[in-house]
Amino acid sequence: MVDDRTHDELIQEQFSQQAAMWDSYIRSGGNEDVLSWNIGKLELTPDMRVLDVAAGTGVLARAMAVRVAEAVAVDVTPEMVAQGRQLAASEGLSNVTFDEGDARNLPYDDARFDVVTCRLAMHQFEDPRRCLQELVRVCRPGGQVAIIDITTADDPTTAETHNRLERLRDPSHTNALTANQLQGMAEGCGLDIVDASYFEVERNLESWMDMTQTPSESRTTILEELQRELGGGSDTGMYPYLEDGHFMFKHRWAMLVGRRA
Ligand SMILES: C[S@@+](CC[C@H](N)C(=O)[O-])C[C@H]1O[C@@H](n2cnc3c(N)ncnc32)[C@H](O)[C@@H]1O
């Protein structure tokens, strides 16, 4: 079947339906360790103004807010922004603002922020380089830009399989890049990389597919391909394994912190 929805429509569809559940999902299991890792790699001081791009419910923006003067979270999906605002209010955070906006054309002046982050979203962008250029544009010279995302395998065939399975699960996924590709892109956009670190996150296959309401036909295909790898078949780039009768796999995350030259 041909899918004629535009990428922007796929993003809206996917993340409007994920919005209500997103915060509890992304704060459960090993995800709190991911957040601590992210925060620990940033230099944050009480006088700073920070921006989190494609922020979703602002998990990272809210965690930064308690350490800085002002945090702004921007996301293109209104339902995510609305959830983020409610959560920040319920946490009594008065220094976080949530804006609707597109990473391709950020609604902020040049050099407005000391720190600009983008977490778990590069693989959703059709033009990640353009978005990264925008992140760099709104960061002040000498400020920090952090790109945090899942990565794919260096082997192109494995990377192709991995991204195909990710798209089967969530049609708004474009391409996870390799760690080297992310770094090359960041340097090409004028960042001096001052820190590169990596983190493995264990995922339960069923709850991962529940989150995106993956149709049963696609679920079956994904499961079969991972089972084949477990049985000695070719590499899917998803590192599948079984734990207590549950089908699990791993996401390899990278976090690159660069200084704007
Ligand atoms: C997987 S969620 C990650 C949310 C958040 N960064 C986090 O770490 O919890 C991806 C987010 O990217 C947003 N997004 C996708 N494309 C975007 C774009 N072009 N501009 C702004 N936000 C975008 C989606 O609306 C969604 O909230």
Side-chain angles (χ1 to χ4, degrees):
M1 196 182 79
V2 178
D3 189 340
D4 56 8
R5 290 168 294 180
T6 65
H7 183 68
D8 287 353
E9 286 168 346
L10 291 171
I11 289 284
Q12 289 297 326
E13 239 167 73
Q14 189 54 241
F15 291 102
S16 58
Q17 66 91 7
Q18 285 192 36
M21 293 298 295
W22 181 255
D23 213 74
S24 50
Y25 174 74
I26 206 64
R27 306 205 68 148
S28 61
N31 291 312
E32 282 298 292
D33 296 334
V34 177
L35 188 57
S36 304
W37 163 55
N38 299 154
I39 288 292
K41 289 289 177 185
L42 295 168
E43 277 178 37
L44 300 171
T45 55
D47 55 334
M48 283 180 169
R49 185 189 281 172
V50 305
L51 172 70
D52 188 24
V53 176
T57 53
V59 176
L60 183 56
R62 280 150 47 216
M64 290 193 287
V66 296
R67 294 162 171 86
V68 299
E70 184 195 343
V72 178
V74 61
D75 197 281
V76 80
T77 305
E79 290 81 355
M80 282 285 196
V81 171
Q83 283 287 327
R85 279 194 189 119
Q86 270 182 28
L87 287 159
S90 69
E91 289 164 358
L93 288 171
S94 56
N95 65 338
V96 197
T97 311
F98 283 83
D99 293 333
E100 270 177 41
D102 195 316
R104 288 167 288 198
N105 190 14
L106 289 170
Y108 309 110
D109 291 339
D110 295 357
R112 185 164 188 274
F113 298 96
D114 301 291
V115 177
V116 181
T117 58
C118 182
R119 191 180 92 136
L120 202 54
M122 282 287 162
H123 68 268
Q124 308 280 165
F125 297 154
E126 270 188 311
D127 188 348
R129 184 179 302 274
R130 170 164 168 189
C131 298
L132 187 46
Q133 283 165 344
E134 276 292 273
L135 266 65
V136 174
R137 178 183 67 76
V138 299
C139 181
R140 69 165 169 80
Q144 302 158 73
V145 176
I147 307 153
I148 306 154
D149 203 8
I150 54 169
T151 60
T152 195
D154 289 328
D155 174 63
T157 307
T158 309
E160 200 280 317
T161 304
H162 174 205
N163 279 309
R164 180 174 50 76
L165 294 178
E166 293 270 2
R167 277 192 293 273
L168 264 182
R169 179 251 182 185
D170 165 8
S172 74
H173 175 105
T174 52
N175 274 307
L177 302 175
T178 69
N180 284 337
Q181 285 170 335
L182 272 181
Q183 178 149 349
M185 197 169 68
E187 288 167 346
C189 291
L191 294 176
D192 294 331
I193 302 300
V194 292
D195 194 73
S197 58
Y198 307 93
F199 205 90
E200 246 177 30
V201 181
E202 299 175 345
R203 294 260 176 242
N204 177 297
L205 185 68
E206 284 300 317
S207 43
W208 182 65
M209 296 191 293
D210 288 346
M211 192 61 198
T212 43
Q213 299 180 17
T214 305
S216 60
E217 207 178 305
S218 302
R219 292 173 90 105
T220 305
T221 307
I222 295 169
L223 183 61
E224 282 174 356
E225 293 206 28
L226 295 188
Q227 276 169 332
R228 256 201 303 278
E229 177 176 355
L230 269 186
S234 54
D235 196 350
T236 60
M238 293 184 69
Y239 316 99
Y241 61 101
L242 289 168
E243 189 176 80
D244 302 331
H246 296 289
F247 217 100
M248 308 286 290
F249 73 96
K250 291 179 188 169
H251 265 150
R252 293 191 165 174
W253 292 53
M255 176 165 182
L256 304 177
V257 182
R259 292 251 172 218
R260 182 180 169 183

